[in-house]
Amino acid sequence: MVVQYRLNDKEIVSDKVNLKDLLIEQGLYKDSGVAVAVNQVIVKKSEIDSLKLQDKDCIDIFTMVAGG
Amino acid sequence: MSDFVVGGVKIPSRLIIGTGKFGSPEILSKVIEASGATMATLAIKRVDVKDGSDNILAVLKEHKMQLLPNTSGAKTAKEAIFAAHLAREALDTNFIKIEIHPDERHLLPDPIETYEACKQLVKDGFVVMPYIHADVVLTQRLADVGVACIMPLGSCIGSNQGLKSEAFIKLILDVVKLPVIVDAGVGSPADAALAMQ
């Protein structure tokens, strides 16, 4: 099964329906320094491993950068 | 000199490093070593999926810095609150520096949105460190809601104009018992020394 997502405003298709699996596939999974929101709702770190995604979900990945 | 404590955490150095103006992680690393600073600010941004991110976090962790994420880029209290919660998930820290500046030219803090964000984030359990104008009345209001310190501007961000707000900062020191951290506009070691005094 292939599912369509919107990842940081970019349309992607994937066969991953688990958030952690998708992040690993996209090279965006890290233990620290990354936060994720799905449909504008922040995902707690403890829930990333188990969160099931839905077709058309909007996923935003945030990371720490220089600033301030 | 008394210990510098914010949010119950002792900060060995009173000098805090902003990370936005360094040309490379290597230069930042050298500055951390030379300054003895133990706290540094950093921002949270949406990842550029193509380019990834800089490796600022690795440098700061290597030096065992106390991380102070900020909400730069936020233009409203709602955006700042969202950024604060993202930073908490990303870094496992309750420390948050509130920066809300709708005016992109001068990056002056919005006092009303800042107050609203601080009120909520204190309730949410954050150690809240707001960047504000050197405003005595706002300082008192923020102290009442439970912020951990205040960070009044010396002058406009990046202006290198030094402590234009010195007289008002002195008033703040007379009025509140909170730690006061001068933020923005510091352009020279002399400015920093004056702020420390």
Side-chain angles (χ1 to χ4, degrees):
Chain A
M1 183 180 73
V2 175
V3 188
Q4 189 171 12
Y5 303 115
R6 193 167 179 82
L7 180 66
N8 286 9
D9 291 337
K10 181 184 166 193
E11 301 289 347
I12 63 165
V13 290
S14 173
D15 62 354
K16 308 298 182 192
V17 293
N18 173 277
L19 178 57
K20 181 180 178 182
D21 292 343
L22 180 71
L23 295 179
I24 291 170
E25 178 190 71
Q26 297 293 319
L28 297 170
Y29 183 79
K30 290 181 184 174
D31 286 337
S32 175
V34 172
V36 184
V38 176
N39 301 325
Q40 299 291 308
V41 177
I42 297 169
V43 181
K44 290 198 174 300
K45 188 173 283 183
S46 58
E47 296 169 355
I48 287 179
D49 286 8
S50 59
L51 188 84
K52 299 295 181 193
L53 297 166
Q54 306 292 323
D55 192 32
K56 311 289 187 198
D57 272 349
C58 292
I59 303 153
D60 292 304
I61 316 292
F62 299 83
T63 191
M64 306 313 299
V65 296
Chain B
M1 187 179 282
S2 59
D3 288 341
F4 178 49
V5 178
V6 178
V9 175
K10 183 179 171 185
I11 311 295
S13 170
R14 290 169 183 252
L15 186 65
I16 300 174
I17 291 181
T19 55
K21 296 289 184 185
F22 297 102
S24 70
E26 291 75 24
I27 293 174
L28 173 60
S29 186
K30 288 179 180 175
V31 167
I32 292 170
E33 287 172 12
S35 68
T38 57
M39 177 181 259
T41 63
L42 67 173
I44 187 158
K45 301 289 181 203
R46 218 164 57 151
V47 174
D48 183 328
V49 177
K50 276 186 182 172
D51 297 336
S53 64
D54 55 39
N55 56 354
I56 185 79
L57 188 57
V59 175
L60 298 179
K61 282 188 169 179
E62 181 187 330
H63 289 278
K64 297 182 170 53
M65 300 294 279
Q66 170 74 47
L67 302 176
L68 177 56
N70 65 52
T71 65
S72 65
K75 296 182 177 180
T76 64
K78 184 179 177 185
E79 290 176 4
I81 292 166
F82 188 73
H85 282 270
L86 284 171
R88 179 149 76 179
E89 289 304 320
L91 296 177
D92 288 322
T93 180
N94 285 326
F95 277 77
I96 191 72
K97 180 185 174 196
I98 301 302
E99 293 185 30
I100 303 177
H101 26 67
D103 165 22
E104 290 184 10
R105 184 176 173 203
H106 298 108
L107 302 175
L108 293 169
D110 182 320
I112 296 168
E113 296 293 321
T114 298
Y115 175 79
E116 292 300 329
C118 290
K119 196 164 60 169
Q120 182 59 49
L121 289 168
V122 168
K123 285 181 188 167
D124 293 344
F126 284 87
V127 175
V128 180
M129 303 172 66
Y131 160 65
I132 61 170
H133 291 274
D135 180 326
V136 179
V137 177
L138 177 61
T139 294
Q140 288 175 307
R141 295 289 298 271
L142 289 169
D144 289 345
V145 302
V147 299
C149 70
I150 57 145
M151 304 182 73
L153 55 80
S155 50
C156 286
I157 288 178
S159 68
N160 293 342
Q161 291 181 318
L163 295 190
K164 297 293 186 191
S165 60
E166 181 181 355
F168 294 102
I169 291 172
K170 284 179 176 172
L171 283 179
I172 287 171
L173 290 168
D174 279 344
V175 169
V176 295
K177 299 299 181 191
L178 288 173
V180 175
I181 302 168
V182 176
D183 186 22
V186 173
S188 70
D191 292 337
L194 181 60
M196 299 282 181
Q197 288 172 3

